[in-house]
Each structure stands twice: as C-alpha cells, then as structure tokens.
Amino acid sequence: MLLFSAFLLSLLAGRRIPLLEAFAYFSNLKYGPWTVLVMALAWARNGVLDFQMFHLSLSHGAMALQAILFSARWAPSPGPVLAATAWALVNDYADYTWGLHPTLPEPSMLPLVAQLSRGSTPLVALVLLYLAWRRRR
C-alpha cells in the first residue's frame, strides 16, 4: 500500500512516475488477491479464521480493488511493467528459495503457496502488458 500511496501523491501533485506506477500496480494486483487466496485456503484447511486473517484478507482485497478503480488513470508502459515483473520474480525466488516468505497461517501450505506466488507473477505481468498494449493502440 505504501507504493500505491506514493502513486496517489504523485498523481495529486501532477507528476507521473512510470516506474513507481508500475511497481504500485504490480504489487497491488499480485499481493492483494494472493493474500486473500492464501487466507481462504488456510481457513478451508484448518477451519480457523481469526481476526488477523480476516483483517489481512480485507485490506489486501482492497489493494486489488484500488488498483482496478484507478486503472483508468494509469497509462502503463512496457518497460516499467517489465522492471516490476523482474523485481517480482527475484522476490519470489528469494522468498521461496531462502525462506524469506511471509509467515503463513498454515505452514504446511508452503509448497502450494510457493507455486501460487511463482505462478501469479507471470499472470499479473501479462495482464499489465496487455493493458499497456491496449492503451497505446
């Protein structure tokens, strides 16, 4: 949310920072739904939905929603989207190779969550590159 807040401040100031915008959108579209899905899977697996899981689901769901709501104000460029994709791929590698991933509500889900994370990065990249292509036409 920090990156998206910085994007909003730059938008209010009348400045466009394409790299910041790409990182903000990429992060919101990847980690918003990713967190909601991980929390839902943990709840389905162990039957526990505590306040922290509920709050994380709501706040991260809002991240995806704010990216969608502000997408009309964003004109992505392929270069910054590819830079954000590269960063996310390095982050995925570090998280699930070196154990830097966020704490999971159900640790036994680690293999599934790692695949979900690695799989969602190219998917988000394709969506953002499609938006870049569509807006440039």
Side-chain angles (χ1 to χ4, degrees), residues 63-93:
M63 287 170 61
L65 182 60
Q66 58 188 9
I68 291 166
L69 291 175
F70 280 90
S71 64
R73 308 279 291 166
W74 185 50
S77 300
V81 169
L82 291 173
T85 302
W87 167 79
L89 289 169
V90 169
N91 186 63
D92 290 341
Y93 179 81

mmCIF file of all heavy atoms in Angstrom, residues 63-93:
data_model
loop_
_atom_site.group_PDB
_atom_site.id
_atom_site.type_symbol
_atom_site.label_atom_id
_atom_site.label_comp_id
_atom_site.label_asym_id
_atom_site.label_seq_id
_atom_site.Cartn_x
_atom_site.Cartn_y
_atom_site.Cartn_z
ATOM 1 N N MET A 63 -6.528 -3.675 -1.748
ATOM 2 C CA MET A 63 -5.390 -3.321 -2.607
ATOM 3 C C MET A 63 -5.725 -3.616 -4.069
ATOM 4 O O MET A 63 -5.476 -2.783 -4.952
ATOM 5 C CB MET A 63 -4.140 -4.109 -2.198
ATOM 6 C CG MET A 63 -3.503 -3.657 -0.921
ATOM 7 S SD MET A 63 -2.203 -4.772 -0.319
ATOM 8 C CE MET A 63 -1.024 -4.741 -1.650
ATOM 9 N N ALA A 64 -6.261 -4.779 -4.334
ATOM 10 C CA ALA A 64 -6.629 -5.123 -5.707
ATOM 11 C C ALA A 64 -7.736 -4.208 -6.210
ATOM 12 O O ALA A 64 -7.695 -3.745 -7.358
ATOM 13 C CB ALA A 64 -7.060 -6.582 -5.779
ATOM 14 N N LEU A 65 -8.693 -3.914 -5.354
ATOM 15 C CA LEU A 65 -9.793 -3.042 -5.738
ATOM 16 C C LEU A 65 -9.305 -1.637 -6.082
ATOM 17 O O LEU A 65 -9.733 -1.051 -7.073
ATOM 18 C CB LEU A 65 -10.837 -2.998 -4.620
ATOM 19 C CG LEU A 65 -12.080 -2.175 -4.890
ATOM 20 C CD1 LEU A 65 -12.823 -2.719 -6.108
ATOM 21 C CD2 LEU A 65 -12.991 -2.178 -3.672
ATOM 22 N N GLN A 66 -8.381 -1.107 -5.286
ATOM 23 C CA GLN A 66 -7.907 0.247 -5.596
ATOM 24 C C GLN A 66 -7.120 0.270 -6.901
ATOM 25 O O GLN A 66 -7.206 1.242 -7.660
ATOM 26 C CB GLN A 66 -7.136 0.878 -4.453
ATOM 27 C CG GLN A 66 -5.941 0.184 -3.960
ATOM 28 C CD GLN A 66 -5.354 0.802 -2.702
ATOM 29 O OE1 GLN A 66 -5.909 1.682 -2.054
ATOM 30 N NE2 GLN A 66 -4.194 0.317 -2.339
ATOM 31 N N ALA A 67 -6.396 -0.767 -7.203
ATOM 32 C CA ALA A 67 -5.694 -0.820 -8.494
ATOM 33 C C ALA A 67 -6.704 -0.826 -9.642
ATOM 34 O O ALA A 67 -6.513 -0.135 -10.644
ATOM 35 C CB ALA A 67 -4.795 -2.041 -8.552
ATOM 36 N N ILE A 68 -7.773 -1.583 -9.476
ATOM 37 C CA ILE A 68 -8.800 -1.639 -10.520
ATOM 38 C C ILE A 68 -9.491 -0.284 -10.658
ATOM 39 O O ILE A 68 -9.686 0.210 -11.773
ATOM 40 C CB ILE A 68 -9.818 -2.754 -10.207
ATOM 41 C CG1 ILE A 68 -9.143 -4.120 -10.356
ATOM 42 C CG2 ILE A 68 -11.043 -2.647 -11.104
ATOM 43 C CD1 ILE A 68 -9.923 -5.266 -9.765
ATOM 44 N N LEU A 69 -9.827 0.356 -9.530
ATOM 45 C CA LEU A 69 -10.523 1.635 -9.576
ATOM 46 C C LEU A 69 -9.684 2.737 -10.221
ATOM 47 O O LEU A 69 -10.220 3.619 -10.891
ATOM 48 C CB LEU A 69 -10.943 2.059 -8.163
ATOM 49 C CG LEU A 69 -12.046 1.223 -7.530
ATOM 50 C CD1 LEU A 69 -12.286 1.655 -6.087
ATOM 51 C CD2 LEU A 69 -13.333 1.331 -8.337
ATOM 52 N N PHE A 70 -8.374 2.707 -9.995
ATOM 53 C CA PHE A 70 -7.516 3.744 -10.543
ATOM 54 C C PHE A 70 -6.911 3.369 -11.890
ATOM 55 O O PHE A 70 -6.119 4.128 -12.442
ATOM 56 C CB PHE A 70 -6.420 4.110 -9.548
ATOM 57 C CG PHE A 70 -6.898 5.029 -8.474
ATOM 58 C CD1 PHE A 70 -7.422 4.519 -7.304
ATOM 59 C CD2 PHE A 70 -6.849 6.398 -8.631
ATOM 60 C CE1 PHE A 70 -7.891 5.350 -6.307
ATOM 61 C CE2 PHE A 70 -7.319 7.245 -7.647
ATOM 62 C CZ PHE A 70 -7.835 6.727 -6.476
ATOM 63 N N SER A 71 -7.278 2.223 -12.432
ATOM 64 C CA SER A 71 -6.672 1.800 -13.692
ATOM 65 C C SER A 71 -6.994 2.752 -14.841
ATOM 66 O O SER A 71 -6.209 2.862 -15.781
ATOM 67 C CB SER A 71 -7.086 0.366 -14.035
ATOM 68 O OG SER A 71 -8.471 0.301 -14.261
ATOM 69 N N ALA A 72 -8.102 3.459 -14.757
ATOM 70 C CA ALA A 72 -8.439 4.422 -15.800
ATOM 71 C C ALA A 72 -7.466 5.603 -15.804
ATOM 72 O O ALA A 72 -7.317 6.283 -16.815
ATOM 73 C CB ALA A 72 -9.864 4.926 -15.600
ATOM 74 N N ARG A 73 -6.789 5.842 -14.683
ATOM 75 C CA ARG A 73 -5.835 6.957 -14.566
ATOM 76 C C ARG A 73 -4.412 6.519 -14.856
ATOM 77 O O ARG A 73 -3.490 7.307 -14.733
ATOM 78 C CB ARG A 73 -5.899 7.551 -13.152
ATOM 79 C CG ARG A 73 -7.262 7.927 -12.674
ATOM 80 C CD ARG A 73 -7.714 9.239 -13.180
ATOM 81 N NE ARG A 73 -6.911 10.280 -12.546
ATOM 82 C CZ ARG A 73 -6.881 11.513 -12.986
ATOM 83 N NH1 ARG A 73 -7.564 11.858 -14.029
ATOM 84 N NH2 ARG A 73 -6.155 12.411 -12.374
ATOM 85 N N TRP A 74 -4.228 5.267 -15.222
ATOM 86 C CA TRP A 74 -2.880 4.737 -15.399
ATOM 87 C C TRP A 74 -2.669 4.346 -16.838
ATOM 88 O O TRP A 74 -3.450 3.595 -17.409
ATOM 89 C CB TRP A 74 -2.677 3.538 -14.484
ATOM 90 C CG TRP A 74 -1.285 2.990 -14.508
ATOM 91 C CD1 TRP A 74 -0.133 3.709 -14.363
ATOM 92 C CD2 TRP A 74 -0.903 1.636 -14.686
ATOM 93 N NE1 TRP A 74 0.951 2.866 -14.428
ATOM 94 C CE2 TRP A 74 0.503 1.585 -14.628
ATOM 95 C CE3 TRP A 74 -1.584 0.457 -14.870
ATOM 96 C CZ2 TRP A 74 1.232 0.424 -14.750
ATOM 97 C CZ3 TRP A 74 -0.878 -0.706 -14.993
ATOM 98 C CH2 TRP A 74 0.517 -0.730 -14.933
ATOM 99 N N ALA A 75 -1.611 4.862 -17.429
ATOM 100 C CA ALA A 75 -1.242 4.509 -18.799
ATOM 101 C C ALA A 75 0.105 3.786 -18.735
ATOM 102 O O ALA A 75 1.151 4.419 -18.774
ATOM 103 C CB ALA A 75 -1.152 5.752 -19.659
ATOM 104 N N PRO A 76 0.090 2.474 -18.580
ATOM 105 C CA PRO A 76 1.339 1.743 -18.379
ATOM 106 C C PRO A 76 2.220 1.732 -19.624
ATOM 107 O O PRO A 76 1.737 1.791 -20.745
ATOM 108 C CB PRO A 76 0.873 0.331 -18.044
ATOM 109 C CG PRO A 76 -0.470 0.223 -18.677
ATOM 110 C CD PRO A 76 -1.072 1.598 -18.621
ATOM 111 N N SER A 77 3.500 1.675 -19.369
ATOM 112 C CA SER A 77 4.489 1.495 -20.430
ATOM 113 C C SER A 77 5.114 0.120 -20.241
ATOM 114 O O SER A 77 5.315 -0.319 -19.107
ATOM 115 C CB SER A 77 5.575 2.554 -20.335
ATOM 116 O OG SER A 77 5.021 3.837 -20.470
ATOM 117 N N PRO A 78 5.443 -0.553 -21.321
ATOM 118 C CA PRO A 78 6.010 -1.902 -21.191
ATOM 119 C C PRO A 78 7.304 -1.948 -20.383
ATOM 120 O O PRO A 78 7.504 -2.879 -19.606
ATOM 121 C CB PRO A 78 6.244 -2.334 -22.643
ATOM 122 C CG PRO A 78 5.312 -1.504 -23.450
ATOM 123 C CD PRO A 78 5.186 -0.205 -22.724
ATOM 124 N N GLY A 79 8.187 -0.985 -20.537
ATOM 125 C CA GLY A 79 9.472 -1.005 -19.830
ATOM 126 C C GLY A 79 9.315 -1.073 -18.315
ATOM 127 O O GLY A 79 9.864 -1.978 -17.670
ATOM 128 N N PRO A 80 8.572 -0.132 -17.714
ATOM 129 C CA PRO A 80 8.368 -0.211 -16.261
ATOM 130 C C PRO A 80 7.631 -1.470 -15.816
ATOM 131 O O PRO A 80 7.918 -2.014 -14.750
ATOM 132 C CB PRO A 80 7.554 1.052 -15.954
ATOM 133 C CG PRO A 80 7.942 2.007 -17.019
ATOM 134 C CD PRO A 80 8.126 1.154 -18.249
ATOM 135 N N VAL A 81 6.697 -1.957 -16.625
ATOM 136 C CA VAL A 81 5.993 -3.199 -16.274
ATOM 137 C C VAL A 81 6.980 -4.360 -16.259
ATOM 138 O O VAL A 81 6.955 -5.208 -15.360
ATOM 139 C CB VAL A 81 4.816 -3.470 -17.240
ATOM 140 C CG1 VAL A 81 4.263 -4.866 -17.047
ATOM 141 C CG2 VAL A 81 3.713 -2.436 -17.044
ATOM 142 N N LEU A 82 7.887 -4.404 -17.235
ATOM 143 C CA LEU A 82 8.892 -5.468 -17.260
ATOM 144 C C LEU A 82 9.855 -5.343 -16.075
ATOM 145 O O LEU A 82 10.274 -6.360 -15.514
ATOM 146 C CB LEU A 82 9.641 -5.457 -18.584
ATOM 147 C CG LEU A 82 8.803 -5.889 -19.793
ATOM 148 C CD1 LEU A 82 9.586 -5.681 -21.080
ATOM 149 C CD2 LEU A 82 8.328 -7.315 -19.658
ATOM 150 N N ALA A 83 10.195 -4.121 -15.676
ATOM 151 C CA ALA A 83 11.057 -3.921 -14.498
ATOM 152 C C ALA A 83 10.357 -4.421 -13.237
ATOM 153 O O ALA A 83 10.971 -5.100 -12.401
ATOM 154 C CB ALA A 83 11.431 -2.450 -14.354
ATOM 155 N N ALA A 84 9.065 -4.123 -13.092
ATOM 156 C CA ALA A 84 8.308 -4.602 -11.930
ATOM 157 C C ALA A 84 8.199 -6.123 -11.954
ATOM 158 O O ALA A 84 8.267 -6.777 -10.901
ATOM 159 C CB ALA A 84 6.923 -3.957 -11.904
ATOM 160 N N THR A 85 8.059 -6.693 -13.136
ATOM 161 C CA THR A 85 7.993 -8.150 -13.266
ATOM 162 C C THR A 85 9.311 -8.784 -12.843
ATOM 163 O O THR A 85 9.328 -9.784 -12.097
ATOM 164 C CB THR A 85 7.663 -8.547 -14.720
ATOM 165 O OG1 THR A 85 6.415 -7.951 -15.090
ATOM 166 C CG2 THR A 85 7.581 -10.050 -14.872
ATOM 167 N N ALA A 86 10.414 -8.213 -13.294
ATOM 168 C CA ALA A 86 11.732 -8.739 -12.917
ATOM 169 C C ALA A 86 11.919 -8.674 -11.407
ATOM 170 O O ALA A 86 12.399 -9.634 -10.781
ATOM 171 C CB ALA A 86 12.837 -7.960 -13.629
ATOM 172 N N TRP A 87 11.525 -7.574 -10.816
ATOM 173 C CA TRP A 87 11.632 -7.430 -9.355
ATOM 174 C C TRP A 87 10.793 -8.499 -8.658
ATOM 175 O O TRP A 87 11.239 -9.128 -7.692
ATOM 176 C CB TRP A 87 11.185 -6.035 -8.934
ATOM 177 C CG TRP A 87 10.974 -5.914 -7.472
ATOM 178 C CD1 TRP A 87 11.917 -5.754 -6.498
ATOM 179 C CD2 TRP A 87 9.709 -5.966 -6.793
ATOM 180 N NE1 TRP A 87 11.320 -5.707 -5.264
ATOM 181 C CE2 TRP A 87 9.967 -5.831 -5.420
ATOM 182 C CE3 TRP A 87 8.390 -6.098 -7.223
ATOM 183 C CZ2 TRP A 87 8.951 -5.841 -4.479
ATOM 184 C CZ3 TRP A 87 7.389 -6.106 -6.272
ATOM 185 C CH2 TRP A 87 7.678 -5.980 -4.928
ATOM 186 N N ALA A 88 9.574 -8.732 -9.142
ATOM 187 C CA ALA A 88 8.694 -9.721 -8.512
ATOM 188 C C ALA A 88 9.260 -11.127 -8.656
ATOM 189 O O ALA A 88 9.162 -11.938 -7.723
ATOM 190 C CB ALA A 88 7.292 -9.643 -9.118
ATOM 191 N N LEU A 89 9.861 -11.424 -9.800
ATOM 192 C CA LEU A 89 10.460 -12.750 -9.982
ATOM 193 C C LEU A 89 11.646 -12.965 -9.041
ATOM 194 O O LEU A 89 11.797 -14.040 -8.449
ATOM 195 C CB LEU A 89 10.899 -12.941 -11.436
ATOM 196 C CG LEU A 89 9.761 -13.099 -12.450
ATOM 197 C CD1 LEU A 89 10.303 -13.019 -13.872
ATOM 198 C CD2 LEU A 89 8.990 -14.381 -12.215
ATOM 199 N N VAL A 90 12.470 -11.927 -8.874
ATOM 200 C CA VAL A 90 13.589 -12.015 -7.918
ATOM 201 C C VAL A 90 13.041 -12.169 -6.503
ATOM 202 O O VAL A 90 13.544 -12.961 -5.703
ATOM 203 C CB VAL A 90 14.513 -10.782 -8.040
ATOM 204 C CG1 VAL A 90 15.503 -10.714 -6.888
ATOM 205 C CG2 VAL A 90 15.241 -10.799 -9.374
ATOM 206 N N ASN A 91 11.984 -11.434 -6.189
ATOM 207 C CA ASN A 91 11.368 -11.530 -4.867
ATOM 208 C C ASN A 91 10.808 -12.929 -4.624
ATOM 209 O O ASN A 91 10.987 -13.494 -3.535
ATOM 210 C CB ASN A 91 10.267 -10.473 -4.736
ATOM 211 C CG ASN A 91 9.699 -10.423 -3.348
ATOM 212 O OD1 ASN A 91 10.408 -10.116 -2.393
ATOM 213 N ND2 ASN A 91 8.419 -10.724 -3.224
ATOM 214 N N ASP A 92 10.137 -13.492 -5.617
ATOM 215 C CA ASP A 92 9.622 -14.868 -5.492
ATOM 216 C C ASP A 92 10.761 -15.846 -5.232
ATOM 217 O O ASP A 92 10.657 -16.731 -4.380
ATOM 218 C CB ASP A 92 8.878 -15.294 -6.759
ATOM 219 C CG ASP A 92 7.561 -14.593 -6.953
ATOM 220 O OD1 ASP A 92 7.018 -14.036 -5.980
ATOM 221 O OD2 ASP A 92 7.057 -14.607 -8.096
ATOM 222 N N TYR A 93 11.832 -15.697 -5.988
ATOM 223 C CA TYR A 93 12.983 -16.583 -5.822
ATOM 224 C C TYR A 93 13.541 -16.481 -4.402
ATOM 225 O O TYR A 93 13.757 -17.504 -3.738
ATOM 226 C CB TYR A 93 14.064 -16.243 -6.854
ATOM 227 C CG TYR A 93 15.292 -17.105 -6.711
ATOM 228 C CD1 TYR A 93 15.309 -18.382 -7.254
ATOM 229 C CD2 TYR A 93 16.401 -16.659 -6.009
ATOM 230 C CE1 TYR A 93 16.424 -19.200 -7.117
ATOM 231 C CE2 TYR A 93 17.521 -17.467 -5.864
ATOM 232 C CZ TYR A 93 17.528 -18.729 -6.417
ATOM 233 O OH TYR A 93 18.626 -19.528 -6.263
#
